Amino acid sequence: MKSARYAPHVLALILSASAVLCTPALASGQWKWRDANGSIQYSDRPPPQGTPESAILAKPRASTARIVTPPVESSSAAATGSRSSLQTGKASENELDAKRRKDEEEERAKQQAEDAKQAKERAENCERAKIYQRNLNDGIRISRTNAKGEREILDDTGRAEEMRRAQDAIRANCK
């Protein structure tokens, strides 16, 4: 009889002890973060997208965190969906490949045009340098304008210097 008298108190003690012991397990499944306004938020769901990692104050432990799985599709819907997603993926891949090839062709065409332009300029420079060298070799009087704007006739040292420059230009442009 004595035990019957304490039964409600013992039962209350056991229930309160179990409640105290279970509370941390339930609380550990909560997220805690500081929102954009600076307020601390508590939730059993993760913070919204865009919340910086530094604003997250507590995460649930892995063992108590809820794992949300997407609903399972029926096999026919999944097969149809995967087939259409594969076709969409292949179509977008083909479009990307076509665009990539087109860009590469345009780049090659630009490079060829630039190379042709440079080759034409080198050929013109080569021809000018050869003509100038012939004039220097023929002994024709050559004049140039100095820094003051006066005309001066090349002497032997000036002619030799101009001959060296013409030869350098021929070496650089006539390949």
Side-chain angles (χ1 to χ4, degrees):
M1 265 325 251
K2 211 175 196 182
S3 63
R5 202 172 100 196
Y6 292 109
H9 297 290
V10 173
L11 183 61
L13 183 63
I14 291 172
L15 286 176
S16 61
S18 64
V20 168
L21 292 174
C22 291
T23 303
L26 293 174
S28 68
Q30 288 197 344
W31 290 83
K32 179 180 175 184
W33 73 93
R34 191 174 303 274
D35 66 2
N37 298 333
S39 303
I40 295 178
Q41 301 292 324
Y42 296 91
S43 177
D44 59 339
R45 296 183 182 180
Q49 291 284 47
T51 303
E53 196 65 33
S54 60
I56 298 174
L57 305 173
K59 295 180 181 180
R61 284 186 242 141
S63 62
T64 59
R66 288 192 321 187
I67 299 173
V68 178
T69 57
V72 178
E73 297 179 9
S74 67
S75 61
S76 63
T80 307
S82 65
R83 217 177 296 127
S84 66
S85 67
L86 285 176
Q87 290 171 350
T88 305
K90 285 184 180 182
S92 64
E93 262 183 45
N94 290 338
E95 290 173 7
L96 289 174
D97 286 342
K99 185 176 180 186
R100 190 178 308 120
R101 281 191 300 268
K102 182 181 175 186
D103 290 344
E104 288 172 357
E105 289 173 5
E106 288 176 357
E107 188 64 33
R108 268 189 248 120
K110 284 180 186 178
Q111 187 64 37
Q112 288 174 348
E114 184 66 28
D115 291 346
K117 181 180 173 185
Q118 289 177 355
K120 182 180 176 186
E121 288 175 3
R122 279 196 307 271
E124 289 173 358
N125 289 340
C126 174
E127 189 61 32
R128 269 192 235 112
K130 284 182 178 180
I131 291 170
Y132 189 54
Q133 184 181 29
R134 254 185 265 131
N135 288 338
L136 288 169
N137 286 337
D138 289 344
I140 297 175
R141 284 189 177 191
I142 298 182
S143 66
R144 64 179 170 190
T145 307
N146 64 12
K148 296 177 185 176
E150 301 168 343
R151 276 179 39 158
E152 53 183 38
I153 306 283
L154 290 181
D155 57 354
D156 290 337
T157 57
R159 186 176 291 276
E161 184 179 317
E162 288 296 313
M163 183 66 83
R164 185 181 51 76
R165 285 187 192 154
Q167 288 172 350
D168 291 342
I170 290 171
R171 270 189 239 113
N173 293 306
C174 300
K175 294 180 181 177

